[in-house]
Amino acid sequence: MSDVEAELRRENALLRQQLADANHALEAMARAPLDAVAGPESGHPILLKAAQEALLDSRALLRAVFDGSLDALLLIDDHGVYIDANPAACELFGLPKDQLVGRRVGDFAPEEHPNRADFQSLLTMGRVRGQVPLRRPDGRTLLLDCSAVADVSPGL
């Protein structure tokens, strides 16, 4: 057996072990929350608690940035339904969050706006910038500068 072949076998064995450890960790996580699991062959602990805490910290930071932005930020699903809105968006739309989330993009377009139902163009083009009219529930119509990006996350 050549040196190259021997090295490839060692690397292959290591990859198999890492895959087995990962599968073991996933099976253990499916059974109950854990701080760590040890791989069945290697005995190396796979730390979960630190990763979970890092994920929670990351989510908290993202939420703080989203909620603290002075610009209106909205998350919209691929069907044009608002699924999240920051306080600036609620103020702009003139609605509390629980009355804005679940509504559709077209719900706030004036009837005379020619692109009332053209949410598909964002999905097709991937990003759009421009001015769009916003019809608030109080009857006022505002002309907004808008930037939108499709697929920031699967389905959003």
Side-chain angles (χ1 to χ4, degrees):
M1 175 183 329
S2 72
D3 289 341
V4 172
E5 197 175 354
E7 180 61 26
L8 287 173
R9 287 180 188 264
R10 278 192 297 274
E11 287 179 20
N12 195 17
L14 179 61
L15 289 172
R16 280 194 194 122
Q17 185 57 54
Q18 289 172 343
L19 180 60
D21 288 349
N23 284 332
H24 179 70
L26 289 172
E27 290 168 6
M29 286 189 312
R31 288 190 298 270
L34 303 167
D35 290 338
V37 293
E41 299 296 324
S42 68
H44 296 296
I46 300 169
L47 300 178
L48 302 176
K49 188 169 184 153
Q52 291 167 342
E53 287 174 0
L55 179 60
L56 289 174
D57 289 346
S58 177
R59 284 183 178 170
L61 177 60
L62 180 59
R63 187 84 235 171
V65 170
F66 184 81
D67 287 341
S69 175
L70 298 178
D71 290 323
L73 299 176
L74 296 143
L75 286 177
I76 306 167
D77 71 13
D78 286 347
H79 304 287
V81 176
Y82 295 114
I83 63 161
D84 202 354
N86 71 349
C90 295
E91 184 178 333
L92 180 68
F93 279 69
L95 289 172
K97 185 175 177 176
D98 64 340
Q99 291 181 27
L100 181 53
V101 170
R103 303 275 298 267
R104 302 184 69 76
V105 172
D107 293 347
F108 300 97
E111 293 294 330
E112 66 276 5
H113 188 257
N115 295 323
R116 178 174 170 81
D118 195 16
F119 182 70
Q120 284 303 117
S121 65
L122 168 61
L123 298 177
T124 303
M125 295 175 17
R127 22 179 95 228
V128 293
R129 259 180 214 220
Q131 292 189 319
V132 296
L134 169 73
R135 180 77 166 189
R136 290 171 42 109
D138 63 10
R140 291 190 308 155
T141 299
L142 307 172
L143 188 60
L144 306 178
D145 289 323
C146 175
S147 298
V149 177
D151 298 322
V152 296
S153 184
L156 300 176

